[in-house]
Amino acid sequence: MCQAAAQVIRPDARGRALDDDPSTGGVSFRPLSAADAGGASSLGPALGDDGGPMVQLLDASGRRWPDEHFDFPDVDVLPNWLRDMVLARRFDSEATALQRHGELALWPPCLGQEAAQVGAARALGDRDVAFPSYREHAVVLTLGLPYRQLLALFRGCDGGAWEGLDRVRNYQMIIGAQTLHATGYAMGMQLDAAGSPPDAATLVFHGDGATSQGDVNEAYLFAASRNAPVVFFCQNNQWAISEPVTLQSRTPLHRRADGFGFPGIRVDGNDVLAVHAVTTWALERARRGEGPALIEAYTYRMGAHTTSDDPTKYRTDDESRAWADRDPIDRLATYLKAEDLIDDAWLAGLDAEARDFGADVRAAVADLRDATMASLFDNVYAEITDELRAQRREHEGELA
Amino acid sequence: MTTLARAINSGLHRALEADPKVLLTGEDIGRLGGVFRVTEGLQEAFGEDRVIDAPLAESGIVGTAIGLIMRGYRVVVEIQFDGFVYPAFDQIVTQAARLNYRTAGRQGVPMVIRIPFGGGIGAIEHHSESPEAYFCHTPGLKVVAPSNASDAHWMIQQAIASPDPVIFLEPKRRYHAAGGDIDDEAAAGLHDARIAKSGADATLIAWGPSVLTCLEAAKASEYDLEVLDLRSLSPVDWPSVYASVARTRRAIVVQEAPRTLGLGSELAARLHEDLFYDMEAPVLRVTGYDIPYPPARLEREYLPSVDRILDAVDRSLSA
Ligand SMILES: Cc1ncc(C[n+]2csc(CCOP(=O)(O)OP(=O)(O)O)c2C)c(N)n1
Ligand SMILES: [Mg+2]
């Protein structure tokens, strides 16, 4: 077992011999570009900029960089992904506004994390299944699931009447619980393959704070022990409500994987090209039967934790401003314009589309219907009990 | 005039001041002051070593609190929401609850686990639970739930002084409402019940958030209802419960928790066992239903309402 685990540490993505540095899972990386590090260095540990190696193909200024192991050849798809990100941001800002107007009970914004989520979602194959936490709105939108179900959940209309469970499981509010489910699901994929490569994998999203939970550490452990086809996608957005990532971990998060015996890798989470390249690599090796991987997508929660939160209590404007300079959408737009893949007219068209989409989102809220109490009674069990039937009747009697 | 949240805050402040061995730990309790701001200002006042922002791991928080207690500290844990206590359930039930027993009394567990509980704030999943029965069912734990600001202020200090582990349930929907003044001294012991309103026709028994609902029902009712604020859920102050019901001869228990095997079940069973011949009607219960807490827009249909209480009162008095 030990030997098998040691072997999977070498992510031999292209059949080449890679350097053996266990801290990077065998892959060596260019450090943060000078432009990135410069903006951040004076901001203290809360920014989490420990200078660790990180895969980056597109820097904050929109400039392409070569990487020894990862590339992004098919740039023609990128305008469509920029659209994914812009529409996700529009959706997110509409939902935030709807909460302010009392239409939603709560909203956890994904603002700033669009590249991490779109890059990861675009790496999923038809047979892969995503296990989100509660902030993965851009994943849900990119995969084309109805956004109405996100609004219904956070409006408090229903408890998760979720379409598309075979693509994206429903949101998880208990920190880290989904990592075990994704691992078990992957174990099932592996069993189904009966010794052949599973040819499918799970991609599970969790936060930086979640890495402290026992469940998450046990998921890493089970994944390693069974060599399961699961990819842990940790969005290190630097904060768990008011707690900085430095409170959760003394080492860069991707290095947690070392101790469990599978590769961990840090990627610039605001660079959709790099996120996609790294996630594709991790999913492909999982599908081939080479086991789990941990991706730390290094990003920033640009908004509040949720609409109930007040970040001015615990973080500085300087920090938020520095991260605004690393905005994932701006850099992609800059790059695509420089490459003549889009122009101002294209962007104006996207802007108009986003505005229309915003109107659709607002209209969709008005159309949402609340679940009935009767349906809640009916869904507690697959086979309702006589006792619950009686309580349902009792409740109906109270209304009469 | 203060609020329940402010009253707990000042109670914690006094406990930290009175005993250097008192520590607070939990998620977001320091710099942020907790998501409900109950610990606001305490880290500033007492430092990061005594008001600890803990890593995001409830089992770890409670487990390390037990270790700190073994080393002589008195630890107050904050669980951010009721639904997030379950990762710590093992440490609470198999460890904290049994340590005194497992050491034949050599190692007590002066721990308080503060948990905002109950519904009524329009929250999402896992944020409106009423888990009190799990803890009341566990030998070795004490369980209390203040209903008003003054009780909260005094009971938190009494709980910290207790040599046993106390689950301290805070009615989150009453946190920020105007909560009256804080009395100059504790109105009662930590495990005493109190008559919140006296009356002659029937006793409404409630705790935490439901006490106010019962007071509203008593006001709206044509009958002269007594409202008994249980305050301590384990142990229950049976003499006070019996005294009230022996006088009014009718009892209705009101709880937000699901019905089956809730604390109301124990209250009804004991009243029937010990007071059967003094009562004019069976004990009735007004409870949540046996379903997981509903989504926000349906919670009014789930929570015991004044109407449902009054309906039960009618049934009790017509029996
Ligand atoms: C078991 C559990 N404990 C506490 C919480 C409350 N809570 C919700 S989100 C959160 C912070 C999570 O931080 P992170 O994992 O970094 O994810 P992010 O919110 O940054 O996306 C906390 C403490 C919870 N939902 N579940
Ligand atoms: Mg985070």
Side-chain angles (χ1 to χ4, degrees), chain A residues 203-380:
Chain A
L203 181 66
V204 56
F205 294 85
H206 65 72
D208 46 290
T211 62
S212 291
Q213 284 286 6
D215 275 4
V216 175
N217 287 275
E218 290 180 23
Y220 293 171
L221 184 97
F222 273 75
S225 172
R226 304 296 310 177
N227 208 36
V230 50
V231 174
F232 298 98
F233 192 91
C234 172
Q235 288 170 85
N236 176 359
N237 64 7
Q238 313 301 329
W239 292 94
I241 310 186
S242 74
E243 298 189 339
V245 60
T246 46
L247 187 148
Q248 316 285 351
S249 186
R250 288 285 171 107
T251 59
L253 292 174
H254 66 282
R255 292 186 54 182
R256 293 281 180 91
D258 300 348
F260 291 94
F262 53 84
I265 185 167
R266 179 183 277 181
V267 60
D268 182 344
N270 288 5
D271 168 1
V272 74
L273 286 67
V275 169
H276 183 266
V278 167
T279 311
T280 300
W281 161 76
L283 284 170
E284 277 175 358
R285 58 185 295 289
R287 293 184 202 117
R288 283 197 303 266
E290 291 166 28
L294 169 62
I295 297 169
E296 176 190 358
Y298 198 77
T299 180
Y300 191 67
R301 197 195 78 209
M302 289 174 78
H305 169 67
T306 66
T307 44
S308 300
D309 177 41
D310 173 11
T312 64
K313 291 235 168 215
Y314 53 81
R315 67 185 192 187
T316 63
D317 288 347
D318 282 355
E319 181 190 301
S320 309
R321 265 195 297 274
W323 275 96
D325 292 340
R326 302 176 180 185
D327 190 288
I329 291 181
D330 291 350
R331 77 172 72 173
L332 183 58
T334 304
Y335 168 66
L336 294 179
K337 274 175 78 173
E339 295 291 310
D340 284 333
L341 287 162
I342 59 172
D343 57 18
D344 286 336
W346 188 92
L347 281 170
L350 179 57
D351 207 40
E353 184 186 0
R355 240 177 299 123
D356 291 347
F357 180 50
D360 291 348
V361 170
R362 291 192 298 275
V365 168
D367 278 348
L368 294 174
R369 292 288 161 266
D370 297 341
T372 59
M373 280 295 278
S375 73
L376 300 186
F377 283 106
D378 290 348
N379 286 326
V380 177

Side-chain angles (χ1 to χ4, degrees), chain A residues 37-76:
Chain A
S41 57
S42 59
L43 295 169
L47 208 53
D49 279 341
D50 49 26
M54 169 160 106
V55 179
Q56 187 187 62
L57 300 176
L58 186 68
D59 75 12
S61 66
R63 187 162 146 217
R64 273 298 290 268
W65 288 81
D67 183 273
E68 205 184 330
H69 303 291
F70 295 99
D71 196 10
F72 194 94
D74 185 16
V75 291
D76 290 346

